[in-house]
Each structure stands twice: as structure tokens, then as C-alpha cells.
Amino acid sequence: MPNTPHSLTVGEIRLTVFDDGHFDLPLEYFSGVSEDLASRLSAPLTIGANLWLIEAGSRRVLVDTGSGAALQQMFPATGQALAQITGEEITDIVLTHMHADHLGGLMGGGFAGAKVHVSKPEWAFWTQKGLADAVPEDQRPMIEMVQAVADSFADRVVLHEGAADLDEGLSLKPLPGHTPGHIG
């Protein structure tokens, strides 16, 4: 059962943080971990997950949609927040990046009336033809799932290049590195 959401109001903007559960990840999920660091870590590593709802003027902006049901078979302690968020009231979704634990809540056509904001480099990378064939076989199911979910909201995606002003005190900032078009 997820924790109670926490809210904070700054000026005219209200931010609510929803607990989306957690992931228990083996150390093998992380590349480049030195033997010294690995010896000091206890596996599995527990990584918390959150969703953010920003209410600004007439907008209800969900930042990421969590993993939803997309990853619950592999990570049963995640995908907890969506039951607490009313989809019809969401006007916009900002995907910080297109990993499954950030867009899985859109699987199955969730939040049908909301615009989905994504950076152009992020969208171009994840939706490119042939991507699933270009990755190791064990990664193909995840790529195929991300592409299927992306296809389900392609008709309402709003692409942004660089920084973007979403009005009502909301803006997007490029934060590439984690993924090609990561934004905040």
C-alpha cells in the first residue's frame, strides 16, 4: 500500500508527491560499479519511485506516469500511485524520459485526454525504426514495450526542443545524460 501523498504550495502552484513504490535491483543492473563500491553495497539496492502532480492555474500536470502495470510482474512493489490519481482531470503529462518506469502508466491508453510533453531527442531515440533489432536480445522486450506505449499516445505528443515554457509558471529544462533527451 502506497504512502499518503504529500503536498506543498508555492505561490499559486501546488505540488503533490505520490509514492509509486520501489524497485529492488541487483547490483548487476548497474554498469561500471567498482569492486570496492560493490563490496560496500548490500544487494539488492532498493530504489524508491515517485510521481509528481503539479496544479497550476487550469492545468493539472503529471510528471511521469510511473511504471503502472508495465513492470509489476518483474517488480511487484512498484506501480502503486496511479490508483490515487484521477486520469480525467490530468491536462498534461511531462515525460522526463521514456524508460518503462516513467511511461508505463500510459500503457493501455491511460490519461486519454492529456497532452504528453516529450523532448524531440528523446522521442526520436525511442521511436526509431530498428531500435529493438540494434540492442542485445535480452533488452528487446523492453524496447518493444516502450515503442508500443509511445505509439499509443503518438497522436497527442507535444515535442519540445531545448528549454520550453508551458505557461502558468511551468517550464521544461534539458537535462541530457541519463537518456538522450532527458528533461526536468
Side-chain angles (χ1 to χ4, degrees):
M1 185 73 174
N3 293 326
T4 303
H6 299 280
S7 295
L8 169 71
T9 301
V10 179
E12 300 293 316
I13 297 176
R14 180 177 174 88
L15 171 69
T16 304
V17 180
F18 293 88
D19 176 9
D20 200 36
H22 67 274
F23 298 91
D24 288 322
L25 302 174
L27 290 179
E28 295 79 37
Y29 268 51
F30 302 94
S31 60
V33 176
S34 70
E35 285 185 36
D36 177 55
L37 178 57
S39 71
R40 292 183 280 136
L41 297 173
S42 59
L45 293 176
T46 298
I47 308 293
N50 294 310
L51 301 182
W52 301 272
L53 176 64
I54 302 169
E55 298 171 85
S58 63
R59 311 274 287 281
R60 288 179 47 93
V61 181
L62 186 59
V63 179
D64 294 327
T65 63
S67 60
L71 299 177
Q72 283 188 329
Q73 185 174 9
M74 187 185 289
F75 301 104
T78 190
Q80 308 295 312
L82 288 182
Q84 300 177 63
I85 300 169
T86 306
E88 303 83 44
E89 297 176 6
I90 301 299
T91 60
D92 301 84
I93 294 169
V94 171
L95 291 179
T96 59
H97 61 291
M98 292 176 64
H99 282 165
D101 59 323
H102 292 257
L103 64 63
L106 286 163
M107 198 165 130
F111 305 103
K115 295 178 191 173
V116 182
H117 301 269
V118 182
S119 78
K120 284 182 183 179
E122 190 75 6
W123 183 260
F125 176 80
W126 290 102
T127 61
Q128 66 184 290
K129 290 187 186 331
L131 179 61
D133 295 329
V135 301
E137 190 172 334
D138 66 329
Q139 295 176 16
R140 287 182 187 152
M142 189 64 65
I143 299 295
E144 291 166 348
M145 186 274 293
V146 167
Q147 289 186 334
V149 174
D151 189 52
S152 76
F153 65 83
D155 63 331
R156 54 198 168 102
V157 73
V158 179
L159 298 176
H160 299 279
E161 186 76 58
D165 183 356
L166 299 183
D167 294 324
E168 301 196 60
L170 304 174
S171 60
L172 302 177
K173 303 289 182 197
L175 300 171
H178 181 56
T179 62
H182 191 267
I183 57 174

